[in-house]
Amino acid sequence: MSVHVSADAPTPRRPVSIHDLRASKQRGEKFVMLTAYDHSAAALLDELGVPVLLVGDSLGMVVLGYESTVPVTLDEMLHHTRAVARGAPNAVVVGDLPFGTYQDGPSQALASATRLLKEAGATAVKLEGGGPMIEVTAHLVRAGIPVMGHLGLTPQSVHQFGGFKVQGRDVEAADQLVADAVGLADAGAFAIVLECVPTELGARITEAVDVPTIGIGAGPHTDGQVLVWHDLLGLTTGRLPRFVKPYADLRSEIAGAVKAFSSEVADGEYPGPEHRY
């Protein structure tokens, strides 16, 4: 049976793969990654052609109201990743491995990562840190699980760092981050997030590895950039990190819409004749 596509129908998109991201680096083409925590956001971002969606454990702070990412559970990550994967058939969907689900070593990490792929439909997983996480990465990759690394400010270690602070400022720390990045790339990580590191170090790491780097507070020289969806849209309250640039002010737009709705209901204007059965 043949399938005929109308000339007016949109051309079907080919799903993005992790190999496409490396090809982008080789061509010198920068790309974006955005967080997504639910089906509607994922569907819109997928429609807009965002190549990588991160179901970050940042959902703990952004969606669930925790003070950090540390309390996020694997079950919570599975719940949100399922919703995102259902809405984004074309993007690379990366699910964060939450704190306490991989630090015990390769076996624990494999069990957790397997659930994110099998039960939630993720394309890949992300884990934080270098050092012992290099072997964990290699173990997952050998099992056929794509892994995204994460270096610099790793939020799951915020208590160890003493707060959300820029990492790699001194020579020794910078050299260690470069070594960890090379180790992760050699272990098979398909990309590495660099968070809150000096611009020069972001450029140095990007040059040192043949896999894409994705920056968040790591300067303009990384291969890609990532922002939290709510930060991008101007929905976040309070003091924002220096690297955040709101591209809209949806908080004000939403406030105006809610106030208008409340006012019209109070005045009896809504529902009008056109809204009645």
Side-chain angles (χ1 to χ4, degrees):
M1 181 179 72
S2 63
V3 177
H4 299 280
V5 179
S6 167
D8 296 328
T11 303
R13 285 175 52 202
R14 180 177 65 83
V16 179
S17 77
I18 62 174
H19 304 292
D20 293 322
L21 304 180
R22 179 175 288 207
S24 292
K25 178 185 179 85
Q26 293 170 344
R27 293 192 300 267
E29 298 174 356
K30 294 181 181 291
F31 61 91
V32 299
M33 177 168 76
L34 283 170
T35 63
Y37 309 116
D38 58 51
H39 179 273
S40 59
L44 175 57
L45 294 175
D46 194 64
E47 180 183 332
L48 293 171
V50 176
V52 192
L53 298 183
L54 172 64
V55 190
D57 59 359
S58 51
L59 68 87
M61 302 167 73
V62 177
V63 178
L64 302 179
Y66 298 144
E67 292 187 359
S68 73
T69 64
V70 173
V72 176
T73 67
L74 182 57
D75 284 340
E76 288 167 337
M77 290 303 308
L78 291 168
H79 175 81
H80 288 271
T81 303
R82 286 189 196 102
V84 171
R86 285 193 291 263
N90 299 300
V92 173
V93 175
V94 182
D96 257 338
L97 288 173
F99 180 73
T101 65
Y102 63 97
Q103 286 88 350
D104 198 36
S107 295
Q108 184 196 35
L110 180 57
S112 301
T114 298
R115 293 192 67 192
L116 274 171
L117 268 66
K118 288 188 66 172
E119 298 178 32
T123 312
V125 300
K126 181 170 74 64
L127 54 78
E128 295 184 1
M133 294 303 109
I134 293 173
E135 175 52 34
V136 169
T137 297
H139 185 70
L140 296 183
V141 172
R142 286 194 296 267
I145 297 175
V147 177
M148 177 180 286
H150 185 157
L151 296 172
L153 173 58
T154 46
Q156 293 176 12
S157 302
V158 64
H159 297 309
Q160 186 177 36
F161 292 148
F164 295 95
K165 300 178 180 179
V166 176
Q167 302 297 306
R169 286 194 181 277
D170 61 72
V171 173
E172 183 179 357
D175 288 346
Q176 185 60 58
L177 285 174
V178 174
D180 283 339
V182 171
L184 287 170
D186 289 345
F190 71 90
I192 302 171
V193 171
L194 302 176
E195 182 168 357
C196 287
V197 301
T199 295
E200 296 77 8
L201 180 56
R204 182 180 166 195
I205 293 174
T206 300
E207 287 293 323
V209 297
D210 60 0
V211 300
T213 57
I214 303 173
I216 180 165
H221 305 299
T222 55
D223 300 301
Q225 296 288 337
V226 57
L227 280 177
V228 169
W229 164 249
H230 294 67
D231 292 346
L232 174 84
L233 298 179
L235 290 169
T236 308
T237 59
R239 183 180 178 182
L240 296 174
R242 181 173 181 173
F243 57 76
V244 171
K245 178 180 178 179
Y247 283 81
D249 184 12
L250 291 197
R251 185 174 177 82
S252 294
E253 292 289 325
I254 292 170
V258 171
K259 289 176 181 177
F261 173 57
S262 299
S263 177
E264 289 192 5
V265 169
D267 295 341
E269 296 179 37
Y270 178 84
E274 68 274 27
H275 305 119
R276 303 171 191 169
Y277 296 104

